[in-house]
Amino acid sequence: IIPSVSDTKAMLTTGFDLLDLEEDLFRIASTSKVGDQSKEMIMKKVDRRAIVDEMKLHEDAMIEEILEKFESDGRHREELMLNQMKTLHIELLVVTLACIGISFAALLHLKK
């Protein structure tokens, strides 16, 4: 499966809200005397945010896949119904011609 242009763009760019967060975290980590426990807590928050963002990307991909499946199923169902309509049209034509033929034969037989 090839990712769409918007997915590729989303994977290669960093959002503005994440840039601000990254700058804040870098500033806190580099300038202050934060203990290991605080650094670990900050990293857990960043990891959770990354997991949530990844889940959103997967969710969007799944929704897109489901919509494509529904569209393809709809097209398939439409083609099937069109073929059935053509078959019914041919059957109606055959029955109509048979009725005309029988009526014509009955007319000739009764004229004698």
Side-chain angles (χ1 to χ4, degrees):
I1 298 175
I2 299 172
S4 67
V5 174
S6 62
D7 289 341
T8 307
K9 192 177 200 181
M11 290 187 324
L12 297 177
T13 58
T14 304
F16 293 111
D17 58 337
L18 294 178
L19 287 175
D20 293 338
L21 179 65
E22 186 177 349
E23 289 173 3
D24 291 341
L25 290 174
F26 180 74
R27 194 176 333 108
I28 290 170
S30 63
T31 59
S32 67
K33 296 179 180 179
V34 180
D36 289 336
Q37 189 177 22
S38 297
K39 285 183 183 178
E40 192 174 310
M41 187 168 41
I42 291 171
M43 290 308 294
K44 284 183 182 180
K45 182 178 180 181
V46 172
D47 288 342
R48 282 195 303 262
R49 184 174 294 245
I51 290 171
V52 168
D53 291 342
E54 187 70 25
M55 288 173 61
K56 285 180 183 178
L57 285 175
H58 286 295
E59 181 181 289
D60 292 342
M62 286 174 52
I63 289 171
E64 195 171 312
E65 183 179 327
I66 289 170
L67 288 175
E68 287 176 5
K69 182 172 175 26
F70 280 137
E71 288 174 0
S72 67
D73 287 349
R75 276 187 244 120
H76 177 68
R77 196 173 301 121
E78 186 177 325
E79 289 174 5
L80 182 64
M81 289 174 64
L82 185 61
N83 288 338
Q84 288 176 347
M85 289 293 287
K86 286 179 182 178
T87 303
L88 289 173
H89 183 74
I90 291 171
E91 288 177 2
L92 178 63
L93 180 66
V94 168
V95 169
T96 303
L97 290 175
C99 288
I100 291 172
I102 292 171
S103 298
F104 188 69
L107 179 67
L108 289 178
H109 180 45
L110 292 175
K111 266 192 164 181
K112 287 183 182 181

